[in-house]
Amino acid sequence: MSASELNIQHEELPPLLAEGLDLRWQTLLERCDEEQALWYRDFAQSSARAHLLTVLAGSPIFLDYCQRYPSLLPALQQRGELDAELSAGQFRAALAADCAACENRDQLAACLRRFRHRHWLRIVWRDLSRLASMQQTVAELSALADACVQEALAFLHRELCEEWGEPHSHDGVPQQLLVIAMGKLGAGELNLSSDIDLVFSYPEAGETVGGPRSVDNQQFFIRLGQRLIKALDARTADGFVFRVDMRLRPYGQSGPLVVSFDALEEYYQDQGRDWERYALIKARCIAGDMASGEVLMKTLRPFVYRRYLDFSAIDSLRDMKAMIQREVARRNLNDNIKLGAGGIREIEFIAQCFQLIRGGQEDALQQRPLQVILNELRDMELLPAPVVQELQEAYVFLRNTEHAIQAWRDEQTQQLPDSAFPQAGLAHSMGFDSWADFHTVLKQHRERVSEHFANVIAAPEDEANTDHSALAHWETLLDQPEQDALRDELQNVGFSDAEELARRLVALLESSAVKRMEGTARERLDDFLPRLLEQAQDAEDGGRAVIRLIPLIESVLRRTAYLVLLMENPAALQRLVTLCDASPWVSRQLASHPALLDELLDGHNLFNVPDKEGLRSELRQRLLRIAQDDLESQMDALRYFRLAHVLKVAASEIGGTLPLMKVSDYLTYIAEVVLEAVLDIAWQNMVEKHGSPAVDDPRRHFVILGYGKMGGIELGYGSDLDLVFLHDVPGGAVTDGERPLDGNIFFTRLGQRIIHILTALTRLGSLYEVDMRLRPSGNSGLLVSSFTAFAEYQNAQAWTWEHQALVRARVVAGDAVLAANFDALRAEVLGRERDPDALREDVLNMRDKMRKHLLPGGGEKNREFDVKQGLGGIVDIEFMVQYAVLAWSHQHPPLHTYTDNIRILESLQQEGLISEADARALIEAYIAFRSQSHRASLQEQKGQLSGEVLVEERAAVRRIWTQIFGEQSA
């Protein structure tokens, strides 16, 4: 064909790329038969012309493949595959049909290579012409590799079984090779000219059956693995399929080509290194015994993903990055878009760093594709949304650049070209008019990636400002510690209780647990303690803080990654010292649940608690990442959520960002959100087993009532939950599932399931202690009452003290219709007219019994005042409020609107039942008492105060008590 026939216009291609293209096109036509030549001529003048010129300009090897295999491109176009996206199933089916005609390994090799070349042409065509997104390109390349491995393995397994017999376990179970893809293939992110990193394994030891002689299973699978590698990797007259890299197998190149599952598991458990954890993040079973392979991958998961926060991964990633940087410098790879600064590898490091640190706690981070992980990091607010957007944009640009580089000559390289011709081709493929324009945008992306990488894989914060001489001094004192010398130095720098602190530090360092520590773990402890002592010098009472922190240190001696977390984040260490100095309750919580140290990393989130809707949304997102049938993980997620947010409330109270009235509100919101989720989980579990109660409307017909502090929106840090369960399904109703239950039994089991989820002890403890004694008839009554029975009990059998309890009762979770019915019943019961004298006597008798039972001696023992039960304390205010509601609601309905004492007191004043001054006095006293109660909880103290404290408040309460109940009651 002449140049005039191709007729490249000036505006179609840059001159440098157009030059010589007509001659190479002519060569292609000369190698075609008449029909093929006609097709190429027509194709060059069709609507596909622009795409054709773009691809020819960006990939000289594309034209070379067309010259070698002139039938491939016409066949693709005629079958409608050239522009189409193909699924993994289509690749497998097409290759299986091609391989069906193969009779030996040589024919298989030729078939695989033709298949690879045909689809490589198609994928390059779609990629360079931008008919496919980057994600589609890598997905199709990965599906192509999967299909080639799968069909080759299936063919070779059959062939070898004919020669040697079929491998069986000692129990007679047939065995297959398992092929595990690592790296980019494992993640489904293969590039145009990538190696495929594979690991081979098989389930069990045994020997072959049915062959001329029996051979060991390992011998069989080693031979099978060798044939598979040769089928894919060997260069023949038709080229190769994929280069195969087996260096990621146990012991690398010196290890056996194939090992059993047990040997693989034992290797990773005993000898696995950090870089192998990193590699296994992307591991995926792609061929062979897939069902057994998935079981194997689950057994390896704990090696990859620790159940605790593992900040030690950062050090490993730093070491790997430093090694790569040395290699980049040695081989002058600065223009390598994968390994150079700001390259693809750095984006992968950022994502995989978070996966290794947090993947054990967040199942969503155990996925393989990089962009999926970046989205999860954004949704979890572990990376800011603008950072994720920049990383994703850079990743797409860099991967497209990588493909354009590799499409040039089908070579395994990520190196930017250094001569004008390929530079022009790369720029044009990327949509730029010149190399300079392309390089400017590339540089901007790489600079952003490099900046974000430095922020994640950086040296610990403020390391440059660390006083290393002071640290060295503490290191010397703590190495082979001598208690008197350590005590003297602790005193010199101002630590309180230096004697006890020195004794505790020496006891820690000489304990058997510390002496058993080896290598990295002991080094981490030795690095951490000096930093802790340096940080504690700035605390209000550093000695007290460190003493409180020693149980936490002891609890993480076998999980020293938590110490790395604190060394990596000095600001988190400072927050830890401050909180533990302020509260032994906080230090005990952290010692019991070191996973909560994660919450110290972000100071803004730690000291700013979300509102109820924010809590609800966060918990919903956590639970959505867990399979609905995984109750254990759901319970762990609920417990961590509750622990983390209660810690945030405590931190906010200590830090002064949350006033007392809001502390109880938020503790109650946390419990309400948890109860809603627990009800959802329990309901789903029951419905899956038994179906829904068969009634006309689809609502749940079930509510959870909160009494006491829960009902009064006044929970404290250690409060249990006073709960009552109600349902309103008609008698005789049954569920509509395959295993139907009577409605009453269904709701009883639902209640039992709720209590189990709340109280079961897991590695994170229980959610809440639950008290069900306020249900009708107490512990002897039904666990779940029907609404009708509950109403009858309240109207005919309930004691006065039960109506007092009803004042603080409200629906905290469940069905809206039943909730409205309960509210109406509560208003009716509380609004009933009562005999004032009988009511007064009942209330006073109950108060007297309570005081005698809970506060023997009247509460003035040792001149101390019990904040809750003492004369003029919290319970006295609560009894006055409850009496007022029961005595006066029939004339003043607003009194029974609210369940919390503060708003009821305000209603009493608004209704003119007590004076504004008395209402204010009771409210201020109540707030003061509760403030003392919260403070006592954080200090792990009983609610006992000096008799000289809050004298005016107590006097005001007793004065108003006398006004309401009379002189005799005082």
Side-chain angles (χ1 to χ4, degrees):
M1 184 175 182
S2 67
S4 61
E5 286 181 279
L6 192 54
N7 193 27
I8 300 174
Q9 302 297 310
H10 174 74
E11 65 273 9
E12 291 182 303
L13 286 180
L16 189 59
L17 297 175
E19 184 179 352
L21 189 55
D22 55 339
L23 293 176
R24 298 179 63 238
W25 181 259
Q26 182 66 37
T27 302
L28 165 62
L29 295 179
E30 290 170 357
R31 296 185 180 181
C32 292
D33 60 30
E34 185 175 344
E35 184 178 348
Q36 291 167 346
L38 179 60
W39 181 89
Y40 277 103
R41 287 191 178 95
D42 290 344
F43 191 64
Q45 301 306 320
S46 71
S47 59
R49 175 181 174 83
H51 291 332
L52 177 65
L53 292 178
T54 295
V55 174
L56 296 180
S59 177
I61 193 69
F62 184 93
L63 192 51
D64 290 350
Y65 279 136
C66 288
Q67 291 171 359
R68 290 177 61 190
Y69 309 103
S71 65
L72 293 183
L73 202 63
L76 285 167
Q77 196 260 352
Q78 289 159 6
R79 286 201 295 260
E81 293 181 347
L82 185 60
D83 295 342
E85 179 182 5
L86 300 185
S87 68
Q90 288 173 301
F91 277 106
R92 180 80 189 266
L95 182 54
D98 290 354
C99 291
C102 297
E103 297 181 356
N104 54 52
R105 274 174 274 155
D106 291 339
Q107 291 180 5
L108 173 70
C111 176
L112 291 170
R113 282 151 182 77
R114 284 195 302 272
F115 188 81
R116 183 267 184 188
H117 296 328
R118 179 168 81 241
H119 286 286
W120 192 91
L121 281 177
R122 188 185 63 80
I123 291 170
V124 168
W125 170 269
R126 282 169 41 79
D127 184 73
L128 293 187
S129 61
R130 294 296 179 259
L131 294 172
S133 66
M134 183 278 290
Q135 291 88 345
Q136 289 172 325
T137 295
V138 299
E140 288 202 355
L141 286 162
S142 302
L144 171 62
D146 285 356
C148 290
V149 174
Q150 290 160 359
E151 289 304 314
L153 178 63
F155 183 96
L156 296 169
H157 180 87
R158 291 192 299 269
E159 181 189 65
L160 194 55
C161 284
E162 291 174 4
E163 297 176 22
W164 287 11
E166 184 179 41
H168 283 65
S169 69
H170 291 308
D171 295 331
V173 179
Q175 304 281 287
Q176 293 184 53
L177 184 70
L178 175 69
V179 180
I180 303 170
M182 314 286 274
K184 283 187 167 61
L185 178 56
E189 298 170 340
L190 207 61
N191 62 41
L192 276 174
S193 191
S194 178
D195 289 355
I196 56 174
D197 296 294
L198 304 179
V199 171
F200 298 154
S201 187
Y202 63 95
E204 295 182 61
E207 57 186 21
T208 60
V209 175
R213 63 185 180 89
S214 291
V215 299
D216 178 80
N217 279 356
Q218 185 173 35
Q219 185 180 350
F220 177 95
F221 288 121
I222 286 175
R223 178 59 60 87
L224 179 58
Q226 291 168 339
R227 290 186 180 182
L228 178 59
I229 293 169
K230 184 177 180 181
L232 299 169
D233 186 273
R235 286 189 177 272
T236 70
D238 293 312
F240 66 96
V241 187
F242 288 98
R243 288 174 292 269
V244 177
D245 191 334
M246 300 295 299
R247 290 176 295 175
L248 293 180
R249 69 185 188 269
Y251 304 104
Q253 289 177 313
S254 63
L257 185 65
V258 189
V259 295
S260 69
F261 286 7
D262 285 345
L264 194 68
E265 190 176 347
E266 182 179 350
Y267 169 82
Y268 285 124
Q269 182 176 339
D270 297 342
Q271 302 185 50
R273 289 156 290 181
D274 286 326
W275 69 263
E276 288 172 305
R277 289 181 60 203
Y278 181 84
L280 281 170
I281 284 177
K282 294 184 180 292
R284 176 173 63 96
C285 304
I286 63 168
D289 191 348
M290 302 286 279
S292 297
E294 290 306 318
V295 175
L296 171 67
M297 299 312 294
K298 286 182 180 178
T299 65
L300 297 181
R301 195 166 295 160
F303 168 69
V304 185
Y305 299 108
R306 309 295 196 240
R307 292 202 68 150
Y308 49 85
L309 283 175
D310 187 10
F311 270 76
S312 62
I314 291 185
D315 268 342
S316 301
L317 290 169
R318 283 199 196 107
D319 291 343
M320 291 173 63
K321 176 59 180 172
M323 179 181 69
I324 291 169
Q325 287 174 327
R326 288 192 296 271
E327 186 70 2
V328 168
R330 185 180 69 82
R331 296 170 54 192
N332 192 24
L333 296 177
N334 290 321
D335 282 339
N336 188 299
I337 63 165
K338 177 183 178 182
L339 301 179
I344 295 168
R345 179 62 59 83
E346 289 190 354
I347 303 176
E348 293 173 337
F349 270 20
I350 291 170
Q352 288 167 306
C353 176
F354 283 102
Q355 288 181 274
L356 288 177
I357 292 170
R358 299 175 179 274
Q361 293 190 322
E362 298 286 356
D363 289 350
L365 295 180
Q366 295 182 16
Q367 301 178 79
R368 301 179 190 93
L370 183 139
Q371 289 189 296
V372 171
I373 296 300
L374 290 175
N375 286 334
E376 292 290 346
L377 295 176
R378 178 199 60 214
D379 295 344
M380 294 178 189
E381 298 184 351
L382 296 174
L383 281 178
V387 171
V388 170
Q389 182 175 348
E390 289 185 356
L391 289 173
Q392 289 187 321
E393 289 173 354
Y395 183 69
V396 171
F397 190 89
L398 289 167
R399 290 302 305 268
N400 281 332
T401 300
E402 177 185 49
H403 292 156
I405 291 171
Q406 294 176 345
W408 186 257
R409 295 298 315 168
D410 191 13
E411 292 176 343
Q412 186 189 15
T413 179
Q414 287 89 14
Q415 194 75 11
L416 292 171
D418 56 6
S419 59
F421 183 41
Q423 285 178 348
L426 176 55
H428 184 71
S429 295
M430 291 295 292
F432 290 89
D433 293 332
S434 69
W435 173 254
D437 291 344
F438 161 75
H439 201 268
T440 297
V441 175
L442 174 65
K443 184 179 180 216
Q444 291 169 350
H445 282 301
R446 292 182 67 176
E447 286 173 349
R448 292 189 194 111
V449 170
S450 192
E451 177 186 354
H452 298 318
F453 176 80
N455 290 335
V456 174
I457 317 287
E461 302 167 16
D462 303 325
E463 186 67 23
N465 300 322
T466 301
D467 185 347
H468 291 283
S469 62
L471 292 180
H473 180 60
W474 287 117
E475 287 170 1
T476 301
L477 285 168
L478 294 169
D479 184 33
Q480 306 294 326
E482 200 281 316
Q483 186 168 324
D484 290 343
L486 183 56
R487 176 203 61 208
D488 292 344
E489 184 57 29
L490 291 168
Q491 286 177 335
N492 289 340
V493 298
F495 280 106
S496 64
D497 209 358
E499 182 79 41
E500 176 64 10
L501 177 54
R503 185 190 70 79
R504 295 286 298 274
L505 286 170
V506 171
L508 169 69
L509 292 169
E510 293 184 350
S511 66
S512 58
V514 170
K515 288 183 176 179
R516 286 195 300 268
M517 297 173 74
E518 295 180 357
T520 302
R522 182 57 196 263
E523 290 173 6
R524 289 172 182 168
L525 177 63
D526 292 342
D527 288 343
F528 174 75
L529 287 176
R531 284 171 167 77
L532 173 61
L533 292 172
E534 274 295 293
Q535 185 67 65
Q537 290 180 54
D538 297 329
E540 181 179 330
D541 190 331
R544 176 178 65 191
V546 176
I547 288 173
R548 288 176 177 174
L549 276 165
I550 286 176
L552 169 60
I553 297 170
E554 292 171 336
S555 73
V556 301
L557 290 178
R558 297 181 63 185
R559 295 170 288 174
T560 54
Y562 285 120
L563 302 181
V564 179
L565 178 156
L566 295 168
M567 290 188 286
E568 290 284 343
N569 299 275
L573 178 57
Q574 180 267 322
R575 294 177 197 117
L576 173 67
V577 170
T578 299
L579 292 175
C580 291
D581 181 26
S583 168
W585 180 87
V586 170
S587 61
R588 184 171 59 82
Q589 288 291 101
L590 291 168
S592 300
H593 310 292
L596 292 174
L597 291 171
D598 180 30
E599 303 303 322
L600 305 183
L601 296 178
D602 187 333
H604 176 76
N605 285 337
L606 179 64
F607 296 108
N608 289 276
V609 290
D611 59 17
K612 185 176 178 180
E613 188 51 45
L615 290 166
R616 187 179 282 128
S617 176
E618 180 184 329
L619 183 55
R620 186 186 305 116
Q621 292 301 317
R622 281 180 179 270
L623 293 173
L624 282 174
R625 300 188 189 109
I626 301 171
Q628 284 192 346
D629 59 352
D630 189 352
L631 181 60
E632 180 181 356
S633 295
Q634 289 172 330
M635 291 203 297
D636 278 346
L638 288 165
R639 281 152 178 75
Y640 184 85
F641 172 85
R642 185 243 174 175
L643 288 167
H645 281 287
V646 170
L647 175 65
K648 289 180 181 181
V649 171
S652 298
E653 183 175 8
I654 290 168
T657 60
L658 199 64
L660 165 75
M661 293 302 293
K662 292 295 183 183
V663 169
S664 288
D665 287 354
Y666 277 99
L667 291 173
T668 306
Y669 296 159
I670 293 165
E672 288 175 0
V673 168
V674 166
L675 283 171
E676 290 170 0
V678 169
L679 174 55
D680 286 343
I681 292 168
W683 181 269
Q684 184 68 31
N685 182 271
M686 289 295 298
V687 168
E688 283 179 0
K689 290 182 179 178
H690 304 291
S692 299
V695 290
D696 294 337
D697 55 313
R699 60 189 181 87
R700 286 188 175 171
H701 296 269
F702 181 88
V703 292
I704 300 175
L705 306 182
Y707 276 71
K709 290 182 178 179
M710 181 67 185
I713 319 176
E714 295 169 356
L715 284 184
Y717 291 106
S719 299
D720 59 9
L721 304 184
D722 293 299
L723 303 179
V724 170
F725 301 149
L726 299 181
H727 78 83
D728 65 350
V729 167
V734 294
T735 62
D736 58 5
E738 294 181 1
R739 296 155 61 188
L741 284 178
D742 173 80
N744 287 315
I745 296 175
F746 175 90
F747 285 111
T748 297
R749 292 188 184 177
L750 176 66
Q752 291 169 339
R753 173 65 55 155
I754 290 169
I755 292 172
H756 169 73
I757 296 172
L758 289 170
T759 61
L761 281 173
T762 74
R763 64 188 182 91
L764 291 174
S766 62
L767 262 175
Y768 288 98
E769 294 298 319
V770 174
D771 191 335
M772 301 292 296
R773 289 175 295 177
L774 289 175
R775 67 186 187 268
S777 302
N779 285 338
S780 63
L782 296 173
L783 181 65
V784 183
S785 298
S786 73
F787 179 72
T788 301
F790 180 81
E792 290 174 354
Y793 181 86
Q794 291 293 335
N795 285 316
Q797 301 177 53
W799 296 80
T800 297
W801 68 264
E802 291 177 292
H803 286 167
Q804 287 181 250
L806 193 64
V807 171
R808 306 229 297 170
R810 63 191 177 90
V811 174
V812 293
D815 177 65
V817 174
L818 180 52
N821 291 338
F822 168 79
D823 290 342
L825 172 66
R826 176 178 174 275
E828 177 190 333
V829 171
L830 296 181
R832 182 184 309 150
E833 185 173 359
R834 293 171 172 82
D835 180 333
D837 294 332
L839 175 63
R840 181 183 297 107
E841 183 177 357
D842 286 348
V843 171
L844 290 175
N845 285 341
M846 177 55 64
R847 181 69 188 105
D848 188 50
K849 289 178 182 179
M850 184 182 291
R851 185 177 283 116
K852 287 178 179 178
H853 177 66
L854 298 174
L855 207 65
E860 301 298 335
K861 183 180 179 181
N862 298 325
R863 296 177 177 269
E864 289 184 339
F865 166 60
D866 187 287
V867 175
K868 183 175 182 181
Q869 296 291 343
L871 291 173
I874 288 175
V875 176
D876 281 354
I877 297 175
E878 291 175 343
F879 267 60
M880 283 189 282
V881 166
Q882 291 160 14
Y883 170 78
V885 171
L886 295 176
W888 301 327
S889 283
H890 69 285
Q891 293 176 314
H892 302 275
L895 295 186
H896 58 59
T897 301
Y898 301 110
T899 60
D900 60 289
N901 290 305
I902 299 294
R903 286 187 291 183
I904 295 175
L905 286 169
E906 291 173 346
S907 298
L908 285 168
Q909 184 261 313
Q910 291 165 2
E911 294 293 308
L913 296 169
I914 61 175
S915 69
E916 182 178 354
D918 284 352
R920 180 52 47 199
L922 289 175
I923 289 172
E924 290 176 354
Y926 194 66
I927 291 174
F929 296 155
R930 282 180 53 205
S931 178
Q932 291 290 342
S933 180
H934 280 298
R935 193 170 296 119
S937 293
L938 289 176
Q939 296 302 321
E940 296 192 323
Q941 298 171 350
K942 295 181 179 179
Q944 302 286 338
L945 301 177
S946 164
E948 308 301 320
V949 175
L950 300 175
V951 174
E952 292 183 5
E953 289 82 355
R954 292 154 53 197
V957 173
R958 295 171 74 169
R959 175 179 58 80
I960 298 168
W961 176 280
T962 300
Q963 291 176 8
I964 292 176
F965 291 114
E967 290 292 336
Q968 187 175 4
S969 69

